[in-house]
Amino acid sequence: MQVNACMIAVMTNENAPPDADRVFKALADPTRRTLLDLLVERNGQTLGQLCANLAMARQSVTQHLGILEDAGLISTRRRGREKLHFINPVPLHEVYVRWVRKFERQRLDLLHDLKQDLEGDGP
Amino acid sequence: MQVNACMIAVMTNENAPPDADRVFKALADPTRRTLLDLLVERNGQTLGQLCANLAMARQSVTQHLGILEDAGLISTRRRGREKLHFINPVPLHEVYVRWVRKFERQRLDLLHDLKQDLEGDGP
DNA sequence: GTCAAGGGCAGGCAAATACCTGCATGATGA
DNA sequence: TCATCATGCAGGTATTTGCCTGCCCTTGAC
């Protein structure tokens, strides 16, 4: 695989402010999560290809893709009259680092306490 | 710390269907994320205590807490006339396991490809 | 050039959302 | 008991959201 400008932009997160709010709002819709799933299956699909799986007007899919792009979760590239869509895993990772980890700490503490308690209740 | 019925419910996720949609929708609002942050800081706060940090009518905060509880992100317990709110990290972990990880794979692949490419371009 | 394919843009509409006010209810303490 | 504190419940409204239809622009094949 060749590294191109698009991938560099993806890795460095150039054209997407790491706005947690946009990322969460983008992920809040099932249609948009389906779109991301479709792109995980096969990256670089066109609008038309994505529409084929969605039982929805093309324009609605365009709106959803726009929201995903604003959140930085996908990036696009034009090839002739087609528009290709690529997934961008970076914002989700940043949300994980900044957001999910602190809850993970609480979860592990709970597990620890539970384990301690169960051991204390042994015979 | 003593393990009680509430904690067991939290760990086993009794009263909360692991509905990814509700979790994402619940996390999509900044007020609700602030509420979770407040509970991470100090667990077991009452409605009134949480309201004190939020420049918003009490009833609105109640609504937000209800949505968080429906998503299984918090659980509550009554103490006299007060209602205590506890954070529940389990649904967020499930969302991470089911959702963030597959993107993490894509991210690491991108990093790998980028590394390979940069090494290939060396002197 | 001509024409179909792929996509963009604008406007509209119904439902969901995020606030609010007003009043009712149960618990606490003098 | 009775006043007060913490919370619940029932609407009400303005904004946002998700979907649509209709029309226009570019691209590629002939």
Side-chain angles (χ1 to χ4, degrees):
Chain A
M1 186 206 248
Q2 277 285 355
V3 172
N4 54 34
C6 174
M7 286 176 55
I8 298 291
V10 161
M11 297 309 297
T12 55
N13 206 14
E14 273 178 18
N15 41 2
D19 192 347
D21 197 56
R22 296 190 193 187
V23 174
F24 279 120
K25 280 188 183 348
L27 292 173
D29 186 88
T31 301
R32 291 194 282 271
R33 290 198 301 275
T34 301
L35 281 169
L36 289 178
D37 272 332
L38 290 171
L39 288 178
V40 165
E41 264 184 47
R42 186 155 53 97
N43 212 1
Q45 295 190 61
T46 69
L47 172 59
Q49 289 172 324
L50 293 171
C51 282
N53 300 288
L54 276 182
M56 184 183 300
R58 174 181 55 82
Q59 288 82 347
S60 306
V61 178
T62 299
Q63 272 190 324
H64 285 300
L65 288 171
I67 291 173
L68 287 171
E69 192 171 6
D70 278 346
L73 288 167
I74 62 173
S75 41
T76 61
R77 198 178 64 206
R78 305 220 55 140
R79 187 180 61 189
R81 62 181 170 183
E82 292 176 328
K83 187 175 188 178
L84 306 179
H85 298 79
F86 298 90
I87 215 164
N88 179 6
V90 176
L92 205 55
H93 179 254
E94 288 178 353
V95 161
Y96 166 68
V97 168
R98 292 198 200 169
W99 241 88
V100 181
R101 273 191 189 169
K102 68 176 136 186
F103 291 86
E104 203 63 8
R105 176 60 179 275
Q106 294 241 350
R107 182 174 146 272
L108 295 178
D109 287 349
L110 266 182
L111 274 175
H112 177 75
D113 292 339
L114 182 61
K115 183 158 170 284
Q116 291 283 67
D117 217 59
L118 289 177
E119 282 171 354
D121 286 351
Chain B
M1 187 203 254
Q2 278 284 357
V3 172
N4 53 33
C6 173
M7 286 175 57
I8 298 291
V10 161
M11 296 309 298
T12 56
N13 206 14
E14 273 178 18
N15 42 3
D19 192 349
D21 197 55
R22 295 189 194 188
V23 174
F24 278 120
K25 279 188 182 351
L27 292 172
D29 186 87
T31 300
R32 291 194 283 269
R33 290 198 300 277
T34 301
L35 281 170
L36 289 178
D37 272 332
L38 291 172
L39 288 179
V40 165
E41 262 184 49
R42 186 156 53 97
N43 212 1
Q45 294 190 61
T46 69
L47 171 59
Q49 289 173 324
L50 293 170
C51 282
N53 300 287
L54 275 182
M56 183 184 300
R58 174 181 55 82
Q59 288 81 349
S60 307
V61 178
T62 299
Q63 272 191 322
H64 284 300
L65 288 172
I67 291 173
L68 287 172
E69 193 171 4
D70 278 345
L73 288 167
I74 63 173
S75 41
T76 61
R77 198 178 65 204
R78 305 219 56 140
R79 186 181 61 190
R81 62 182 172 183
E82 292 176 329
K83 187 174 188 180
L84 306 180
H85 299 79
F86 298 90
I87 214 164
N88 180 6
V90 176
L92 205 56
H93 179 255
E94 287 177 354
V95 161
Y96 166 69
V97 168
R98 291 199 201 167
W99 244 88
V100 179
R101 274 192 187 166
K102 68 176 136 187
F103 289 86
E104 202 63 8
R105 177 59 180 274
Q106 295 240 351
R107 181 174 147 272
L108 294 178
D109 288 349
L110 266 182
L111 275 175
H112 177 75
D113 293 339
L114 182 62
K115 182 158 171 285
Q116 292 282 69
D117 217 61
L118 290 177
E119 283 172 354
D121 285 350

